[in-house]
Amino acid sequence: QVHLVESGGGSVQAGESLRLSCSASETIFSINRRGWYRQAPGKPRELVAVIHSDGDTTYGDSVKGRFTISSDNAKNTMYLQMNSLKVGDTAVYTCRILSTGNDYWGQGIQVTVSS
């Protein structure tokens, strides 16, 4: 069973940066897309950023220009660089890898941004 583990979360001040990592316990084949999602208390889960199989990326409107998604296939790891963090970015961030026949999710990690 493949496990995804996030790291790099924590508490920061508005305007600061964090980098989240998501490591897979083993190599995943036939990946269709990798992504980050987040959920704030009382709100539905929303897409933060996705890397598609062709390398194209998609970002949620609220993070465009501030967040960058990337991946290092050799390390079975993907990243989310978050700059200029805002209080509204406070949420549990979860990584996801969608491959042919499988849909893997991490356990989530808390990011808290204070003013």
Side-chain angles (χ1 to χ4, degrees):
Q1 179 70 24
V2 174
H3 297 284
L4 304 182
V5 179
E6 300 98 340
S7 60
S11 298
V12 296
Q13 297 286 321
E16 294 183 342
S17 299
L18 280 175
R19 188 176 81 155
L20 303 183
S21 299
C22 173
S23 297
S25 57
E26 58 187 82
T27 299
I28 300 172
F29 298 95
S30 303
I31 293 176
N32 296 317
R33 61 178 179 268
R34 302 176 175 89
W36 290 94
Y37 297 76
R38 69 185 184 187
Q39 187 168 22
K43 295 186 178 180
R45 180 184 288 164
E46 64 173 342
L47 180 146
V48 177
V50 169
I51 298 180
H52 301 276
S53 59
D54 60 3
D56 283 349
T57 56
T58 300
Y59 292 92
D61 288 341
S62 62
V63 306
K64 285 180 182 177
R66 299 188 297 122
F67 290 12
T68 303
I69 188 172
S70 62
S71 66
D72 185 335
N73 295 340
K75 296 182 178 179
N76 295 329
T77 301
M78 65 176 172
Y79 306 96
L80 183 68
Q81 179 66 43
M82 306 185 293
N83 297 330
S84 302
L85 282 161
K86 303 177 180 179
V87 173
D89 294 319
T90 296
V92 174
Y93 286 71
T94 308
C95 61
R96 178 191 188 192
I97 296 179
L98 184 64
S99 66
T100 302
N102 293 287
D103 190 359
Y104 303 105
W105 291 84
Q107 80 285 355
I109 193 165
Q110 179 69 43
V111 171
T112 302
V113 184
S114 57
S115 59

